[in-house]
Amino acid sequence: MNKIKKLFSKKDINNRVKELSKELYDAYGHDKVVFICTLKGAVFFACDLLKNYKGNARLEFLRVSSYKGDKSTGKVELNLSISKEVIEKENIVIIEDIVDTGNTLKFLKEYLSNMNPKSIKIITLLNKKSRREVDIEADYTGFEIDDLFVVGYGLDYNQEYRNLPYIGVIKS
Ligand code: IMP
Ligand code: MG
């Protein structure tokens, strides 16, 4: 395994995730929320976020892909879909690992909006604002980062490094 330069420790992530869970609870209270976790990158984040969430939550999964190695292809593909009954008239929160060009999120928001949810919001653990190609922002963000390719805590490089308990950059 290559050496990794740590950006956010397990403790940094843990603390921030707890704050985000509370922010969400403050926003929704006991109204039902259908959380949509995007596979595979957001899985660790979604689990921790929901374990700390005190409201009425459901959990669903969607799978999209746009990356090959560390390059975005710009073309978003849906690999696992969701049925309309799950989304219609519900409060939806999309859980993302990272917003980069914004193409994935734009695609997902349009896809889910077409199923007539009551409301739709986005939470992302990481945001690379300087890389945005389309006009979309998350409603809740864990950490802002520079234009770096990061791995760990669910994020991969060619499907590896997801199991790191912290987030970092591969040293070349
Ligand atoms: P976007 O469509 O360009 O915003 O890319 C979003 C997706 O690309 C994310 O959900 C990640 O799965 C992946 N991605 C973007 N940047 C990184 C990174 O730095 N590390 C690992 N995956 C990334
Ligand atoms: Mg993702």
Side-chain angles (χ1 to χ4, degrees):
M1 220 196 226
N2 287 303
K3 281 230 165 82
I4 312 281
K5 180 174 173 273
K6 206 182 274 188
L7 279 186
F8 302 107
S9 68
K10 195 173 163 179
K11 197 161 169 245
D12 295 334
I13 299 168
N14 212 357
N15 290 340
R16 187 68 187 119
V17 170
K18 280 185 184 159
E19 287 174 1
L20 291 168
S21 298
K22 189 174 177 302
E23 269 188 62
L24 286 168
Y25 179 61
D26 289 344
Y28 293 98
H30 286 288
D31 288 351
K32 193 212 298 174
V33 178
V34 180
F35 288 93
I36 314 274
C37 169
T38 60
L39 295 172
K40 305 174 192 167
V43 158
F44 290 45
F45 178 41
C47 291
D48 287 341
L49 194 69
L50 264 75
K51 276 190 279 179
N52 286 290
Y53 184 71
K54 294 190 169 61
N56 180 355
R58 298 204 175 180
L59 178 60
E60 299 289 336
F61 297 92
L62 266 181
R63 178 142 193 224
V64 286
S65 56
S66 68
Y67 256 71
K68 287 220 158 51
D70 62 359
K71 300 277 178 298
S72 172
T73 62
K75 196 170 148 272
V76 185
E77 280 172 43
L78 187 67
N79 311 123
L80 175 69
S81 59
I82 206 159
S83 68
K84 192 177 172 183
E85 301 87 86
V86 177
I87 306 299
E88 200 168 28
K89 301 194 185 106
E90 303 288 357
N91 295 310
I92 305 299
V93 175
I94 303 173
I95 306 178
E96 257 292 21
D97 48 356
I98 186 163
V99 190
D100 182 32
T101 64
N103 285 307
T104 305
L105 211 50
K106 187 162 185 271
F107 173 91
L108 281 176
K109 201 174 180 185
E110 277 170 18
Y111 173 72
L112 294 169
S113 296
N114 283 333
M115 298 181 185
N116 300 320
K118 181 171 162 194
S119 67
I120 183 158
K121 289 208 171 176
I122 299 158
I123 181 165
T124 184
L125 180 63
L126 302 168
N127 185 29
K128 281 195 224 175
K129 203 170 164 77
S130 65
R131 294 254 312 155
R132 207 69 93 250
E133 290 173 5
V134 292
D135 184 21
I136 193 152
E137 289 306 331
D139 301 279
Y140 303 89
T141 300
F143 303 101
E144 298 286 343
I145 62 167
D146 294 333
D147 182 7
L148 299 166
F149 194 85
V150 294
V151 295
Y153 193 65
L155 291 130
D156 73 306
Y157 173 68
N158 276 336
Q159 301 301 326
E160 289 181 31
Y161 301 100
R162 292 193 200 273
N163 55 319
L164 296 177
Y166 54 88
I167 294 168
V169 181
I170 304 170
K171 285 188 191 170
S172 48

